[in-house]
Amino acid sequence: PWDLDGEKWSDEDWDRRDVLQVPFPPKDSEFYFDPEQPPDPKLQQEAEAALAERMKDCRISSVRLEKARRSSKAKAFFQREPKAKEGFERLWVAAVDNASYMPLKGNLREYGVEFADNFGDFKDHSAYDALHTVEDLAAWKARQVYEVTGLPVIASRTGFEIEPVPPSSLTNFKDSMSGPINRAAAASRI
């Protein structure tokens, strides 16, 4: 680096190996994953049923996905082989916003993933759609796209949420401040 003037520091991690050595999680951890152990089908069914129950009133939809659902050519298009001559080994599909699609495509290209298409036109059709968590909405989008394409799906949903501040929090904060303070000033500091 520019600031060493040719010196090497003994505690410097030049090839960043220390960063990459993360301890493997214990088997009882929620982050433990054993690729040799298949997932429990009963747990998967319970999780799918719970998601379906939470999303039963969800009305988000994609015009392009509905066209693909009705198209006779779509099934053949999505079941084609990846372009092996271009170095692709897998064919996936995305359901991300259109601005994020090209970077996603570029990032996974190095891993042999070809994207057949992106369904980036999902829209809310009810005020209640915004009440679902971003995780549930992304999972629901992925399942809807998988149902039509039969391909692995990467889906996303973004959101900006501001948690309401209970009045008791403002009162406690105001009481802890010395001198006069108004409610708006207290809220701006939380």
Side-chain angles (χ1 to χ4, degrees):
W2 61 272
D3 60 343
L4 293 181
D5 296 326
E7 306 173 19
K8 265 196 164 185
W9 293 353
S10 61
D11 62 342
E12 185 69 31
D13 184 20
W14 292 100
D15 56 4
R16 298 183 55 84
R17 287 186 184 173
D18 292 341
V19 174
L20 301 175
Q21 294 178 356
V22 178
F24 202 73
K27 287 190 176 194
D28 60 345
S29 167
E30 66 181 301
F31 300 107
Y32 179 76
F33 175 72
D34 184 358
E36 302 299 321
Q37 180 180 0
D40 183 0
K42 184 178 179 186
L43 289 177
Q44 282 184 317
Q45 287 175 347
E46 289 172 4
E48 288 296 319
L51 178 65
E53 178 62 28
R54 288 191 308 271
M55 302 302 288
K56 68 182 176 190
D57 297 325
C58 184
R59 301 287 175 248
I60 63 170
S61 66
S62 162
V63 172
R64 292 190 65 246
L65 184 64
E66 292 309 313
K67 285 182 183 177
R69 188 184 308 272
R70 294 185 304 266
S71 172
S72 58
K73 296 179 184 177
K75 183 169 180 149
F77 178 77
F78 290 119
Q79 297 307 315
R80 65 183 167 84
E81 292 295 316
K83 297 174 184 167
K85 288 184 180 179
E86 293 182 25
F88 294 114
E89 300 168 358
R90 298 168 196 85
L91 192 61
W92 289 5
V93 70
V96 299
D97 58 288
N98 290 323
S100 301
Y101 178 58
M102 292 309 284
L104 175 68
K105 190 175 174 179
N107 287 335
L108 293 178
R109 178 184 194 95
E110 299 299 319
Y111 297 97
V113 176
E114 175 188 358
F115 280 92
D117 202 351
N118 178 42
F119 295 95
D121 65 334
F122 273 88
K123 301 283 184 222
D124 292 349
H125 291 284
S126 167
Y128 294 107
D129 290 345
L131 298 177
H132 299 287
T133 66
V134 292
E135 294 87 358
D136 281 351
L137 286 168
W140 192 248
K141 282 171 49 175
R143 282 158 178 78
Q144 297 301 310
V145 173
Y146 177 78
E147 182 182 299
V148 172
T149 65
L151 294 172
V153 182
I154 293 182
S156 70
R157 173 66 181 231
T158 57
F160 181 73
E161 299 174 2
I162 298 176
E163 297 278 333
V165 179
S168 62
S169 296
L170 295 175
T171 304
N172 293 341
F173 182 75
K174 185 170 64 171
D175 292 344
S176 71
M177 301 293 292
S178 61
I181 188 166
N182 64 28
R183 190 175 177 97
S188 69
R189 291 190 179 112
I190 292 183

